[in-house]
Amino acid sequence: MIKIRKIDHVAVAVNDIDEAVAKYRAVFGLEGVGREVVTSQKTEAVLLPIGDSNIELISPRGNDGLAKFLEKRGPGLHHIAIEVEGIESALALLKSLGVPLIDETPRNGARGHKVAFVHPKATGGVLVELVEPAEGH
Ligand code: ZN
């Protein structure tokens, strides 16, 4: 069994992070924190904390997949991220079950977390990211 803890974030693809942050502030009073360019993902990301979870706004910085997503579908929901305990063993288990994975080994994501994407065909259309927080977070 994969040890699942919570929804870490729901990611929304946007063209313009400043504009999106301003909208979420105006509509919900949410504040963006921890804005960063995530080199390994070729994205720029900012978190809007909500309780124990976050909305994550992401914009491409050389990420062709995300750029194509925005081109084709426009800004909107992009993926759901689930926090797991032991991301390597979770991936090994999914692989052994024949679950299609985009990442068979974790990459470095925002906040220094380890992340890996499960292919949307595994869930019938939703891109799911597994996240394991960096030590001490
Ligand atoms: Zn994410």
Side-chain angles (χ1 to χ4, degrees):
M1 284 288 285
I2 298 176
K3 290 180 198 151
I4 291 175
R5 285 180 169 156
K6 64 174 192 185
I7 292 190
D8 180 75
H9 62 267
V10 174
V12 177
V14 302
N15 286 309
D16 184 328
I17 290 216
D18 290 314
E19 188 189 308
V21 168
K23 273 185 189 157
Y24 279 85
R25 184 184 297 124
V27 176
F28 298 112
L30 296 170
E31 292 294 335
V33 299
R35 184 165 173 170
E36 64 177 308
V37 173
V38 186
T39 320
S40 57
Q41 311 273 19
K42 297 183 177 161
T43 58
E44 185 167 3
V46 65
L47 290 172
L48 309 172
I50 299 178
D52 216 17
S53 190
N54 307 276
I55 292 174
E56 180 187 56
L57 304 175
I58 52 172
S59 186
R61 291 289 176 273
N63 182 321
D64 293 338
L66 189 55
K68 260 184 217 151
F69 177 96
L70 282 163
E71 231 170 75
K72 258 202 216 161
R73 302 161 73 158
L77 282 179
H78 186 262
H79 64 268
I80 293 171
I82 296 169
E83 183 182 319
V84 298
E85 199 180 314
I87 192 167
E88 283 90 356
S89 53
L91 288 168
L93 177 63
L94 291 174
K95 197 184 172 189
S96 75
L97 296 171
V99 174
L101 303 173
I102 293 174
D103 301 303
E104 291 193 357
T105 54
R107 293 188 273 167
N108 293 320
R111 294 167 283 160
H113 291 1
K114 286 189 213 170
V115 306
F117 285 93
V118 177
H119 199 282
K121 66 188 176 196
T123 59
V126 176
L127 178 61
V128 175
E129 179 184 18
L130 305 181
V131 176
E132 183 167 41
E135 299 290 324
H137 282 248

